[in-house]
Amino acid sequence: MASARPRKVRLPLPGLLAVGLALAGLAGCAENGVIYNQQKYLSGTKLYVTHAEGSQMPTVIRGNPSALPKADFDQIVRDDLKGSNFGRPTTFVPGPDNPPYPDERVVLVFNGPVIGQAQLCQWGLAGGGGPTPEGRIEILAAFCSGGRPVSALEGGISGVKDPNDPKFQAFLREIGMTLFNPNNPEDNPDHGVEPPVP
């Protein structure tokens, strides 16, 4: 009679160690940019995104986490966002600093106060902040329809001393692709994810 093989028992990592490893991984990823939280707020996301394709999208930018003049920083952000959407490339153009704002627009807040994503499209939005010594940039962003976000996100990136840094450019493109992703599981009766639009 063959002897029974001993069973292997996997023991979980102690709680604190597991949390520490997870945070270390997040910190490493933050060097290249991390989107912490993204939400779709309005149903029919694909219709909003399709309507924005190929448009001149007003872009309201709060804050300046660089040493460059704000107008130069804003232009770099808009240039890097260009075409970061599904379908025909969208061009991001200056948005008004004060109300009234255009109905469809993008709002980006760099190193600003902590606010809820749903507040990003409100008219009295507080301004962003300036640079940090370690080049850390936190961002809140929304694709707005009127006073409501169609989609919104929060994210961050570390070690950015110059907005022309390729990793910052790549992070901005990821932000654009996230805001203008037409797929919203809530739009589908079975809550399945639609295939990406080519």
Side-chain angles (χ1 to χ4, degrees):
M1 182 172 139
S3 60
R5 294 177 64 194
R7 279 187 355 179
K8 291 184 180 178
V9 177
R10 291 189 176 191
L11 297 175
L13 286 172
L16 288 176
L17 178 59
V19 169
L21 289 173
L23 289 175
L26 182 60
C29 293
E31 190 71 24
N32 293 318
V34 173
I35 293 176
Y36 313 130
N37 185 15
Q38 55 181 301
Q39 299 289 332
K40 301 286 176 70
Y41 285 88
L42 298 181
S43 61
T45 304
K46 187 172 183 178
L47 295 175
Y48 288 100
V49 171
T50 301
H51 185 260
E53 282 180 26
S55 70
Q56 303 277 311
M57 179 63 64
T59 307
V60 178
I61 300 174
R62 302 287 192 212
N64 178 9
S66 78
L68 295 178
K70 175 141 172 57
D72 293 346
F73 172 76
D74 290 0
Q75 186 63 54
I76 289 169
V77 170
R78 290 192 301 267
D79 288 347
D80 289 342
L81 283 171
K82 184 175 182 178
S84 61
N85 62 291
F86 292 82
R88 290 173 293 131
T90 296
T91 300
F92 295 82
V93 298
D97 286 331
N98 299 297
Y101 296 120
D103 184 53
E104 244 182 27
R105 67 197 181 284
V106 167
V107 175
L108 303 165
V109 181
F110 292 93
N111 290 349
V114 177
I115 60 173
Q117 290 180 354
Q119 294 175 275
L120 286 170
C121 298
Q122 298 302 310
W123 312 128
L125 181 66
T132 63
E134 64 281 1
R136 178 77 189 160
I137 297 175
E138 295 289 334
I139 186 168
L140 294 168
F143 168 34
C144 300
S145 177
R148 302 174 301 166
V150 177
S151 58
L153 61 82
E154 302 165 55
I157 188 168
S158 296
V160 177
K161 300 292 187 179
D162 180 344
N164 289 305
D165 186 329
K167 70 181 180 183
F168 182 59
Q169 294 173 336
F171 185 48
L172 287 171
R173 292 193 65 76
E174 182 183 358
I175 287 167
M177 294 299 286
T178 301
L179 289 179
F180 290 95
N181 187 332
N183 298 324
N184 184 353
E186 297 298 322
D187 290 341
N188 303 322
D190 62 354
H191 296 287
V193 177
E194 296 175 359
V197 175

